């Protein structure tokens, strides 16, 4: 009896964990995304949908769509059906301002959201959950509020259109119609349900337990009367990585019960840590990630020193066997950020066959990332306080659908 019980516990704890606060693969392996789709009950984003996006927007699909970085969805087909009929929608995404600098993984949903905003010509709301990070990261109210504004600068640097974008901090904006929706949502979720979805325990403070409605209600147009009065049926599409799915499973469960549309989602896999593809990057280990504040020298050092290589131990063996692309981080990173499809294919073919060495692949990656981070740095330096105020002003957006 005793032994059986222990085995049960062990097999449970070695399962992969993906939620907004923890991402870890089973037994230190890779995240099994097919399993996640089954477990969460979302749908796979297939080639026919990518083709449909291309047709509807008359532009090439984003690299993240072409390469399956955004791999799962919920009701994205309904958003496209409605769009085809001439109905618009709005985008909602967010950031929990827990640190001064974003890492490259954080940029992924924002780069993709910018493409969606441009391609579909739709409004966008961006939530900065300074309240969430204050409660989870033990930051003071003042510090997380300050970080929200700092992070807004990085988000603006991604190139969003101020005439279609509203960025808000929870500390500043929660109230009025937004708060009324929070209360409607909160009344529909029992403590048992919240514990089941989010893994809360009796030891968690009640601030955490009361938070999920805050992230839920930007999914409803009536939370933004200055933007969507008279458009209460507008559909919402949320781009994010799949770690945020629990919030929106809850939201979708509650929405019809309070008379609202369920938000649709388009969800990405994780940009992995330098050390390997078994989870997200860790804020507590600066060598696990490239940050938007890293210098060219930092990038070079981190990649040369820490990026996990699928190459063989010796040149002879490498020439003979080739690299294992399945576990190789430089190739994985290039799959996210090297735009040129034919160059990527060439690298994979040559490296996989052992004709190209790890050092050469790393060199190309260093060039790609240095260029990207430098571009971001310049764009961020050009973001003024007045621009932040303009994006964060509670105001109508008269030409948000044009
Ligand atoms: P946060 O700040 O943890 O993350 C911001 C966004 O980045 C995504 N993300 C990643 N994407 C790819 N690879 C990674 N390694 C990686 N790490 C993080 C997250 O999924 C997220 O989309 N609670 C949220 C803030 C939030 C939000 C939202 C996010 C509020 N409302 C609506 C998405 C949609 C948070 O703390 O995100």
């Amino acid at each position: 009896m005793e032994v059986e019980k222990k085995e049960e516990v062990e097999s449970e704890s070695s399962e992969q964990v993906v939620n907004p606060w923890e991402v870890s693969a089973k037994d230190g392996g890779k995240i099994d995304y097919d399993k996640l789709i089954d477990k969460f009950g979302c749908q796979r984003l297939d080639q026919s949908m990518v083709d449909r996006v291309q047709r509807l927007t008359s532009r090439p699909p984003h690299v993240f769509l072409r390469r399956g970085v955004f791999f799962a969805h919920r009701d994205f087909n309904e958003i496209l059906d409605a769009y085809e009929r001439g109905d618009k929608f709005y985008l909602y995404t967010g950031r929990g301002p827990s640190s001064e600098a974003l890492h490259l993984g954080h940029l992924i949903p924002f780069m993709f959201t910018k493409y969606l905003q441009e391609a579909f010509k739709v409004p966008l709301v961006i939530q900065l959950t300074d309240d969430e990070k204050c409660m989870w990261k033990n930051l003071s109210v003042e510090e997380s509020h300050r970080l929200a504004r700092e992070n807004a600068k990085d988000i603006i640097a991604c190139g969003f259109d101020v005439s279609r974008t509203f960025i808000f901090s929870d500390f500043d904006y929660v109230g009025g119609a937004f708060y009324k929706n929070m209360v409607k949502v909160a009344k529909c979720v029992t403590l048992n349900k919240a514990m089941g979805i989010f893994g809360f325990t009796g030891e968690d403070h009640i601030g955490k337990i009361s938070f999920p409605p805050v992230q839920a209600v930007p999914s409803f147009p009536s939370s933004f009367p200055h933007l969507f009065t008279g458009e209460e049926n507008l559909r919402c599409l949320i781009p994010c990585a799949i770690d945020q799915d629990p919030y929106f499973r809850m939201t979708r469960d509650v929405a019809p019960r309070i008379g609202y549309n369920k938000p649709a989602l388009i969800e990405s896999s994780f940009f992995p840590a330098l050390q390997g593809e078994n989870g997200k990057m860790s804020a507590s280990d600066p060598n696990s990630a490239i940050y938007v504040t890293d210098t060219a020298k930092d990038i070079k050092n981190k990649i040369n020193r820490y990026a996990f290589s699928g190459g063989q131990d010796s040149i002879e063996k490498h020439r003979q066997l080739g690299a294992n692309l399945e576990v190789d981080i430089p190739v994985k990173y290039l799959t996210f950020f090297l735009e040129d499809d034919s160059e990527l294919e060439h690298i994979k073919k040559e490296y996989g066959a052992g004709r190209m060495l790890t050092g050469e692949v790393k060199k190309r990656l260093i060039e790609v990332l240095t260029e990207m981070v430098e571009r971001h740095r310049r764009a961020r330096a050009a973001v003024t306080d007045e621009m932040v105020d303009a994006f964060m002003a509670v105001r109508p957006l008269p030409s948000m659908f044009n």
Side-chain angles (χ1 to χ4, degrees):
M1 264 315 264
E2 280 289 29
V3 173
E4 261 176 39
K5 236 185 179 164
K6 185 163 177 283
E7 272 174 6
E8 220 175 81
V9 170
E10 273 181 359
S11 73
E12 227 175 65
S13 63
S14 65
E15 278 304 308
Q16 63 178 359
V17 180
V18 174
N19 63 42
W21 309 287
E22 188 187 347
V23 175
S24 60
K26 190 175 169 184
D27 300 328
K30 274 190 181 190
I31 301 285
D32 183 337
Y33 288 106
D34 286 326
K35 238 188 177 166
L36 264 190
I37 287 186
D38 284 348
K39 187 172 169 217
F40 287 180
C42 33
Q43 297 145 287
R44 182 163 273 287
L45 207 151
D46 59 21
Q47 187 57 42
S48 69
M49 291 185 94
V50 177
D51 295 341
R52 202 171 166 210
V53 171
Q54 172 157 15
R55 228 178 32 249
L56 287 173
T57 59
S58 312
R59 62 167 74 197
H62 194 279
V63 155
F64 295 161
L65 271 181
R66 294 206 302 273
R67 303 204 182 135
V69 169
F70 279 77
F71 72 105
H73 75 100
R74 291 176 185 274
D75 294 343
F76 184 46
N77 46 331
E78 289 183 16
I79 295 279
L80 297 178
D81 290 345
Y83 187 79
E84 201 157 20
R85 287 195 305 268
D87 297 338
K88 293 279 185 163
F89 58 93
Y90 74 101
L91 293 160
Y92 157 41
T93 193
R95 155 83 183 145
S98 54
S99 62
E100 204 84 38
L102 277 68
H103 60 54
L104 296 187
H106 293 132
L107 288 188
I108 285 167
F110 292 107
M111 293 165 102
F112 189 63
T113 303
K114 177 192 180 274
Y115 149 80
L116 291 174
Q117 180 181 53
E118 263 176 24
F120 288 98
K121 306 234 176 324
V122 287
L124 160 68
V125 297
I126 300 177
Q127 179 178 43
L128 301 172
T129 51
D130 36 16
D131 50 350
E132 178 191 18
K133 292 302 151 176
C134 167
M135 291 189 285
W136 261 271
K137 297 283 176 181
N138 206 14
L139 293 168
S140 69
V141 167
E142 291 70 26
E143 179 61 358
S144 42
H145 191 218
R146 185 187 73 78
L147 288 174
R149 252 187 99 85
E150 285 308 302
N151 286 186
K153 292 182 184 161
D154 283 294
I155 294 170
I156 293 167
C158 292
F160 292 105
D161 175 355
V162 70
S163 71
R164 291 200 196 100
T165 307
F166 172 51
I167 304 180
F168 63 98
S169 119
D170 287 341
F171 282 139
D172 293 332
Y173 185 68
V174 173
F178 192 101
Y179 185 60
K180 285 180 185 156
N181 279 338
M182 278 172 51
V183 170
K184 287 185 195 176
V185 170
K187 277 174 78 177
C188 293
V189 185
T190 62
L191 179 58
N192 281 337
K193 184 102 193 189
M195 287 168 127
I197 299 176
F198 298 101
F200 296 139
T201 69
E203 298 306 305
D204 283 311
H205 61 66
I206 60 172
K208 290 186 180 180
I209 293 157
S210 67
F211 174 74
V214 187
Q215 184 155 334
V217 302
S219 314
F220 308 133
S222 59
S223 299
F224 304 99
H226 60 289
L227 298 176
F228 303 132
T229 294
E231 307 253 20
E232 282 75 13
N233 276 327
L234 198 64
R235 294 289 306 254
C236 172
L237 174 65
I238 307 172
C240 59
I242 199 161
D243 61 331
Q244 302 296 312
D245 192 79
Y247 284 118
F248 302 116
R249 282 208 295 279
M250 182 197 82
T251 311
R252 286 170 54 88
D253 185 48
V254 169
R257 291 157 63 196
I258 57 175
Y260 294 155
N261 285 325
K262 293 181 180 189
L265 282 108
I266 182 158
E267 298 179 312
S268 77
S269 54
F270 302 111
F271 186 70
L274 281 162
Q275 283 75 5
E277 215 180 326
N278 52 4
K280 283 204 300 186
M281 285 160 289
S282 155
S284 53
D285 177 4
N287 289 327
S288 70
I290 310 279
Y291 291 86
V292 294
T293 46
D294 281 349
T295 62
K297 199 167 153 224
D298 294 332
I299 295 175
K300 189 171 171 200
N301 279 342
K302 283 188 184 181
I303 291 178
N304 281 336
R305 250 192 239 167
Y306 302 111
F308 187 82
S309 166
Q312 307 295 336
D313 304 340
S314 68
I315 294 194
E316 296 71 43
K317 223 167 133 197
H318 186 81
R319 294 281 184 219
Q320 192 191 345
L321 299 173
N324 177 357
L325 302 187
E326 280 300 301
V327 297
D328 190 84
I329 285 294
V331 163
K332 183 81 190 176
Y333 276 24
L334 286 170
T335 307
F336 279 78
F337 293 123
L338 179 64
E339 295 245 347
D340 185 335
D341 290 339
S342 56
E343 189 186 355
L344 182 67
E345 273 324 298
H346 174 78
I347 291 173
K348 281 177 156 174
K349 194 163 146 236
E350 296 300 299
Y351 188 37
R355 288 186 293 271
M356 209 172 183
L357 301 176
T358 299
E360 297 169 81
V361 181
K362 286 191 170 180
K363 184 164 173 285
R364 184 67 184 114
L365 177 64
I366 291 165
E367 282 167 13
V368 170
L369 294 188
T370 306
E371 211 261 321
M372 195 176 97
V373 169
E374 180 53 28
R375 204 176 340 120
H376 182 87
R377 201 194 57 73
R378 278 197 307 270
R380 192 191 193 277
V383 177
T384 60
D385 276 320
E386 291 70 35
M387 284 163 76
V388 177
D389 291 340
F391 273 93
M392 298 187 76
V394 180
R395 70 214 188 270
L397 298 175
S399 48
M400 61 191 174
F401 291 117
N402 298 335

